Amino acid sequence: SAVATMTIFLRIIKYLAQSFPRVKLLQFTISLAIPPMLVYLTFIIIIFLGFVNFSSINFASLSTYFVTFSQSVLSCVTLFFGDTSPIKTVSQSPLQNVFFMPFMLFFFIVCVQMFNAIINYSYNKACEEMEPDFERERNEIKRKQRLKEQGGARQQRGLLKSMIRTFAMLRGQTPKDEEEQDDVPGGVQKKDEDKED
């Protein structure tokens, strides 16, 4: 069920990446992180098998947790998840700390941080490569805001013109005369000047 959930999650990301640039960034980050993660996972598996062989050879006679190879694998996985009960059963062995300290240092601390480092590196690289898309998105948002502001200004001008026409009609002046006065700058003064001439 975990594999099915992961597959569904990746399909949703792939679908949403066609619409939202930020989801596309997530998809691009995952695609960049997968190859180095697979290489590092192979490296970890080799080291893990080395620890399993070491525990199986040296602790098989002391504990039932390390009797067989498969049991040793399960015990090492249990150690990886923080349960130290298998290693406590071999406390009489002089190699207990020789095995336990490097194992926990590498798998419990270094291993997890390396995965975080790979994801962070992939994210930074994806951000750099997708910066033109983000710049385009920012410019589009600014353009829409300017259009919205201009549309608001047009509505205000239209409302102002309708109010002027209403007041003109109340004074007994026709809207046509008002429009002519609006079109010709200083229309009344020009008419008066013509009469004086």
Side-chain angles (χ1 to χ4, degrees), residues 140-158:
E140 184 67 20
I141 291 171
K142 288 179 182 177
R143 187 183 69 82
K144 287 180 179 178
Q145 287 177 349
R146 282 197 301 269
L147 288 174
K148 194 179 289 185
E149 290 172 0
Q150 289 173 0
R154 285 197 196 100
Q155 287 179 356
Q156 289 177 356
R157 283 198 297 269

Side-chain angles (χ1 to χ4, degrees), residues 5-23:
T5 305
M6 179 62 88
T7 306
I8 292 169
F9 175 70
L10 292 175
R11 285 182 180 176
I12 291 171
I13 289 176
K14 186 177 180 181
Y15 172 74
L16 292 175
Q18 298 172 0
S19 304
F20 304 104
R22 295 294 170 181
V23 181

Side-chain angles (χ1 to χ4, degrees), residues 53-99:
N53 280 328
F54 180 89
S55 63
S56 182
I57 291 169
N58 292 286
F59 304 142
S61 59
L62 301 172
S63 174
T64 55
Y65 284 100
F66 303 100
V67 173
T68 61
F69 183 80
S70 59
Q71 194 68 33
S72 297
V73 171
L74 291 175
S75 300
C76 288
V77 170
T78 304
L79 287 171
F80 176 74
F81 287 111
D83 183 9
T84 58
S85 55
I87 202 68
K88 290 177 182 177
T89 59
V90 293
S91 56
Q92 65 272 29
S93 173
L95 296 174
Q96 179 195 21
N97 290 331
V98 174
F99 169 80

Side-chain angles (χ1 to χ4, degrees), residues 32-47:
L32 287 176
I34 284 175
M37 275 190 177
L38 290 176
V39 172
Y40 184 64
L41 195 61
T42 305
F43 174 69
I44 285 174
I45 288 171
I46 293 171
I47 294 177

Side-chain angles (χ1 to χ4, degrees), residues 157-188 191:
R157 283 198 297 269
L159 182 62
L160 186 62
K161 283 182 180 179
S162 64
M163 289 172 65
I164 290 171
R165 286 174 187 160
T166 305
F167 287 130
M169 290 175 69
L170 290 173
R171 287 184 308 183
Q173 197 175 15
T174 60
K176 188 174 180 183
D177 295 337
E178 190 73 23
E179 287 175 2
E180 288 176 358
Q181 288 181 11
D182 290 341
D183 293 339
V184 180
V188 178
K191 286 179 181 177

Side-chain angles (χ1 to χ4, degrees), residues 119-133:
I119 291 170
N120 287 334
Y121 175 77
S122 302
Y123 175 77
N124 292 333
K125 191 174 180 182
C127 284
E128 289 177 3
E129 293 190 15
M130 290 189 65
E131 184 59 33
D133 294 337

